[in-house]
Amino acid sequence: MDPAKFVEDSIKELRETIDGKAIIAISGGVDSSVAAAITSQAIGDRLTGVFVDTGYMRKNEAEEVREIFSEYDLDFRIVDASDDFYESLSGVTDPERKRKIIGAKFIDVFREVAAEVGAEYLIQGTIAPDWIESGGELRDTIKSHHNVGGLPKKLGMKLVEPLRDLYKDEVRELARYLKLNVAERQPFPGPGLAIRVIGEASPERVAIVREANYIAEQEIERAVEEGKMSMPWQYFAVLLPVKTVGVHGDLRAYGETIVVRAVESMDAMSATYSRIPHEVLDRISRRITNELGDRVNRVVYDITNKPPGTIEWE
Ligand code: XMP
């Protein structure tokens, strides 16, 4: 694939296809970002890009996405629906219920924005592995993936998928060509940090995992820059519903447990845990227990492959 030619042809085709307003959900991931960037070049501010802040995003995520799209000519909106999401998930502990509630809420927000702007077209960053049988469907039987697959019918919009014949490496190549700062971003699940808080994903518990995740990401990226290790395929933190006894100063503490998870994978179907140097694990553990010292007093590293584990804990 020649990126310049692909972009040029896509713009032409999108201009011929889309004669009204279009909408796209932007997650900050590489697929939706590339689809949004190309479509905005084709139809400008007839495209509305919606980033739904569910309250379960990583630290600085909404602002980073805004920054990426600040140079593009599209109607970019961040919808802060966090209170709504927190309320819907209050008291919910079952992983599948969490995923379903988040998926449904996401559609509600999206539906509101689509009606508000009068969008007739829905742009999706679907790529080949998403619709080729094996990949998506096998995964879907294990966990209900949050995506907007069910949207077009429910919203009565026409679906346009500019990347549907491409593979991930080609989409990454396009992102680099378009100078989109998302090309090497690690995958992040649609339900976000809600599935990285085991048990109820209350705002207080999400705040803990958000900070721990930020520290784990920072230390791993620093170690990669220093040449101490190679970049894992995915790396993050999980908060367990398990308290353990520790010491804080001279006093007995009873605090939360954080799991650090890092994996190597090709396509997320199988994965092996990353052999992170102990020195790096040590830095992560010290920082988490120092910076979150009033709440977290234990950090463990997940050494499970997929299968039998999955990459995420829920
Ligand atoms: P699992 O945990 O099933 O995850 O081994 C495989 C890959 O998929 C990501 N993941 C999701 N991505 N919506 C997504 O867009 C989801 O609901 C979802 N659940 C898991 C996960 O982060 C990993 O990269």
Side-chain angles (χ1 to χ4, degrees):
M1 180 209 54
D2 172 1
K5 182 157 180 356
F6 182 89
V7 171
E8 194 190 315
D9 291 350
S10 300
I11 290 175
K12 198 163 158 265
E13 210 177 306
L14 286 164
R15 283 191 181 139
E16 283 163 9
T17 315
I18 302 174
D19 54 8
K21 291 197 170 174
I23 188 167
I24 181 169
I26 296 176
S27 66
V30 58
D31 304 341
S32 64
S33 297
V34 168
I38 294 177
T39 311
S40 91
Q41 288 191 31
I43 65 166
D45 63 7
R46 278 194 284 137
L47 176 67
T48 297
V50 186
F51 176 89
V52 182
D53 184 349
T54 60
Y56 295 108
M57 312 313 288
R58 285 170 292 186
K59 197 164 168 167
N60 307 329
E61 187 125 35
E63 286 321 309
E64 277 171 26
V65 176
R66 186 196 288 287
E67 172 86 29
I68 290 166
F69 284 95
S70 61
E71 287 162 33
Y72 281 83
D73 177 26
L74 82 167
D75 168 29
F76 178 77
R77 305 179 180 201
I78 294 177
V79 179
D80 180 0
S82 48
D83 286 344
D84 220 17
F85 276 79
Y86 289 149
E87 205 175 299
S88 313
L89 286 180
S90 167
V92 179
T93 55
D94 178 70
E96 277 300 298
R97 264 197 76 210
K98 283 189 191 173
R99 285 172 171 274
K100 297 228 162 88
I101 291 170
I102 291 171
K105 270 264 141 288
F106 185 86
I107 291 177
D108 286 349
V109 175
F110 205 65
R111 194 199 300 263
E112 275 167 31
V113 181
E116 201 179 305
V117 301
E120 288 166 56
Y121 294 87
L122 174 72
I123 315 295
Q124 278 196 324
T126 319
I127 64 172
D130 296 338
W131 57 267
I132 290 174
E133 265 179 333
S134 56
E137 288 191 4
L138 187 60
R139 271 199 329 201
D140 280 355
T141 58
I142 300 171
K143 298 179 186 179
S144 317
H145 271 235
H146 152 101
N147 56 36
V148 287
L151 271 175
K153 264 191 233 129
K154 288 193 186 171
L155 296 179
M157 291 195 277
K158 291 169 223 157
L159 181 63
V160 181
E161 296 174 312
L163 311 178
R164 73 184 314 278
D165 295 326
L166 301 185
Y167 285 84
K168 200 76 175 185
D169 52 327
E170 295 174 309
V171 183
R172 289 219 164 95
E173 207 181 322
L174 279 175
R176 279 180 223 117
Y177 170 76
L178 292 163
K179 301 202 167 46
L180 275 173
N181 209 3
V182 292
E184 323 307 333
R185 268 189 138 198
Q186 59 163 323
F188 185 63
L193 299 179
I195 57 161
R196 292 184 181 167
V197 174
I198 311 306
E200 183 182 351
S202 64
E204 297 74 29
R205 295 186 71 73
V206 170
I208 299 175
V209 85
R210 181 180 292 119
E211 204 52 43
N213 190 70
Y214 182 66
I215 292 169
E217 282 190 1
Q218 268 196 333
E219 289 303 329
I220 286 173
E221 285 158 18
R222 173 154 78 114
V224 170
E225 262 169 42
E226 291 170 353
K228 291 187 162 53
M229 58 182 278
S230 55
M231 186 64 101
W233 192 79
Q234 195 170 5
Y235 46 104
F236 54 89
V238 176
L239 175 62
L240 298 190
V242 174
K243 282 193 161 186
T244 71
V245 175
V247 276
H248 196 61
D250 289 333
L251 298 175
R252 175 187 188 274
Y254 191 49
E256 307 285 351
T257 310
I258 285 286
V259 178
V260 176
R261 176 92 162 129
V263 296
E264 309 304 326
S265 179
M266 295 290 286
D267 53 8
M269 297 298 289
S270 63
T272 53
Y273 75 87
S274 303
R275 270 61 172 174
I276 294 186
H278 278 259
E279 177 195 350
V280 181
L281 290 173
D282 189 61
R283 280 185 191 167
I284 296 173
S285 158
R286 280 171 199 272
R287 268 194 68 193
I288 290 177
T289 50
N290 280 335
E291 293 172 34
L292 291 164
D294 54 338
R295 284 162 289 172
V296 179
N297 64 356
R298 199 168 295 269
V299 177
V300 298
Y301 187 58
D302 183 354
I303 51 169
T304 320
N305 298 327
K306 173 182 180 176
T310 50
I311 295 176
E312 304 287 349
W313 274 49
E314 284 196 335

